[in-house]
Amino acid sequence: MTARTWPRRLATILYWYLAASFFIGFVTKFWPGPTFFGPAYAEKFVDWGWPPWMRFVVGALELVLGLMMLVPRRRVRFIGAAGLVFVLIGAVTTHLIDVAPWYEEVSAPLHLTIMIGVALANWPADWRDLLHPLDERSIRRASTVR
């Protein structure tokens, strides 16, 4: 096993862990009743000043963007991480406005910090790589940048 194998394996484990945590967020937001995190998210979203259907939007975004973290292309991982950064900025802002115990306020800023790091680690070499569809040239260029 080479020295370059371990960092890639650790990154893969991190991506799977993050995808699993956002999958749990998706499940709890779609769950109709109380969750193991407290009352139902429909009630929480109303308490935070959002309409109750917004939990489905946030949950679906967490699912799709979390699954993008598992795709082995840097461009897709970057888009997933950048999208989750925006979702988490909304979560952090909502939690800052809401008055809650500190232990309920820790998860969103921690995930935001991690997702910013993931987005920066998968930053594309050229911003134009985000705009054009995957073709042989971009696949070759992305594989040489790693």
Side-chain angles (χ1 to χ4, degrees):
M1 198 174 319
T2 65
R4 291 178 53 123
T5 305
W6 283 106
R8 286 186 181 173
R9 286 188 181 179
L10 289 175
T12 301
I13 290 169
L14 174 68
Y15 295 142
W16 275 93
Y17 171 77
L18 291 171
S21 69
F22 285 108
F23 182 75
I24 290 171
F26 153 74
V27 170
T28 57
K29 288 183 183 61
F30 274 75
W31 194 260
T35 64
F36 45 86
F37 295 117
Y41 267 94
E43 296 172 19
K44 286 183 178 183
F45 271 74
V46 169
D47 290 343
W48 294 330
W50 296 99
W53 56 265
M54 188 62 120
R55 69 188 171 110
F56 296 118
V57 174
V58 173
L61 283 171
E62 286 182 354
L63 175 67
V64 171
L65 297 171
L67 288 175
M68 289 176 79
M69 299 293 299
L70 300 178
V71 176
R73 300 216 183 276
R74 290 181 66 158
R75 174 167 96 171
V76 177
R77 275 187 270 155
F78 171 74
I79 293 170
L84 284 168
V85 165
F86 285 112
V87 170
L88 289 167
I89 286 173
V92 168
T93 304
T94 299
H95 288 303
L96 285 175
I97 293 170
D98 179 49
V99 177
W102 68 270
Y103 59 85
E104 293 180 5
E105 307 281 337
V106 173
S107 178
L110 180 64
H111 276 87
L112 176 62
T113 305
I114 293 169
M115 292 315 297
I116 288 172
V118 170
L120 290 175
N122 290 291
W123 193 273
D126 186 8
W127 65 271
R128 291 175 289 193
D129 289 341
L130 296 173
L131 300 177
H132 59 77
L134 286 176
D135 58 356
E136 191 62 38
R137 191 188 81 212
S138 65
I139 293 171
R140 224 177 308 117
R141 187 175 349 148
S143 65
T144 58
V145 172
R146 293 179 200 235

